[in-house]
Amino acid sequence: MNKLKLFLTIISVLIAVTPITTQIIIHRDNIVGLILPPTISDILAGGTDDLSTADSVNFAGMNFSLPVIVGDPVLFQNNTVKLTYIFTNPLDGKITVTSMNAELVCTDHSFTLSKDIFVDPITLEPKQTVNLNVTCVLSAKAIEHIKTQHQGENSINTEFKNFSVELTDIKITMPHRKLGSIQIPLTILYINHFR
């Protein structure tokens, strides 16, 4: 009876250990990949793809559309840049866009124009598409940069660095997001020259 008990114990251990050992041997070069799916591993590692111009990301097998800029950013005389993004809720439940964080950067000089980025919070029903209104407040140093480094130009190339959008319980983060050119009003370039 003891021999039968020992034999059954050994068989039980082999049944439990063999598949685990086999998977460890197969994934020996990527043990983390054994535990985490590739999508999650990429997100934790900061991503492997350049998402600066991507329209969507694949998250947990679901195609998640990123906010896409509509039209050109507009620089107003009160030193604010207005942007409009179109965004569709891909989920079967409501989500709320609660905040957007980024640094608005001059791509030609890697100069930070603004860290004050605001989005109008909005709740989206399932599959609903809305416009997200984003405001960037330019610093005094940003206006000085535009006047000195972009004198005679009619636009400035920009992008968001450390871009993230926070939804109800989801945060989408990217190292940078291209915005395109922002038209520079003549009043900003020449306002101090006539004082």
Side-chain angles (χ1 to χ4, degrees):
M1 192 67 162
N2 285 339
K3 289 183 182 181
L4 180 60
K5 187 177 177 182
L6 178 64
F7 177 72
L8 291 175
T9 303
I10 292 172
I11 293 289
S12 296
V13 169
L14 287 175
I15 288 172
V17 171
T18 302
I20 294 170
T21 306
T22 303
Q23 289 300 316
I24 289 173
I25 291 170
I26 290 171
H27 291 91
R28 67 181 168 267
D29 294 331
N30 184 13
I31 296 296
V32 173
L34 177 65
I35 300 166
L36 294 175
T39 304
I40 302 299
S41 297
D42 283 350
I43 290 170
L44 293 176
T48 56
D49 297 330
D50 180 8
L51 298 175
S52 63
T53 59
D55 292 332
S56 64
V57 293
N58 188 331
F59 182 74
M62 179 178 63
N63 196 27
F64 199 94
S65 295
L66 299 172
V68 177
I69 196 165
V70 178
D72 292 324
V74 178
L75 175 59
F76 290 95
Q77 291 181 9
N78 64 352
N79 300 340
T80 59
V81 176
K82 301 278 184 176
L83 305 107
T84 302
Y85 283 89
I86 191 166
F87 180 65
T88 301
N89 177 1
L91 306 177
D92 293 328
K94 287 183 184 179
I95 59 172
T96 300
V97 178
T98 56
S99 69
M100 180 182 283
N101 296 303
E103 291 178 44
L104 179 64
V105 175
C106 165
T107 54
D108 295 336
H109 303 105
S110 297
F111 186 86
T112 300
L113 301 170
S114 176
K115 291 184 181 180
D116 296 323
I117 314 292
F118 306 98
V119 64
D120 296 338
I122 190 167
T123 299
L124 290 84
E125 296 294 327
K127 312 301 182 200
Q128 181 183 9
T129 300
V130 296
N131 286 340
L132 299 176
N133 297 311
V134 179
T135 304
C136 307
V137 179
L138 299 184
S139 66
K141 290 182 180 180
I143 298 302
E144 190 61 31
H145 170 81
I146 292 170
K147 289 178 183 177
T148 58
Q149 299 298 317
H150 297 278
Q151 184 67 32
E153 299 176 20
N154 60 3
S155 65
I156 181 172
N157 295 318
T158 58
E159 68 179 343
F160 278 148
K161 294 239 177 175
N162 304 315
F163 175 82
S164 68
V165 177
E166 285 196 44
L167 309 175
T168 307
D169 290 320
I170 303 167
K171 184 173 183 178
I172 302 169
T173 304
M174 290 172 274
H176 61 95
R177 186 96 175 126
K178 294 191 187 308
L179 295 177
S181 296
I182 298 175
Q183 297 298 315
I184 303 171
L186 292 177
T187 53
I188 287 181
L189 287 175
Y190 299 108
I191 198 161
N192 287 336
H193 291 286
F194 299 109
R195 286 186 181 179

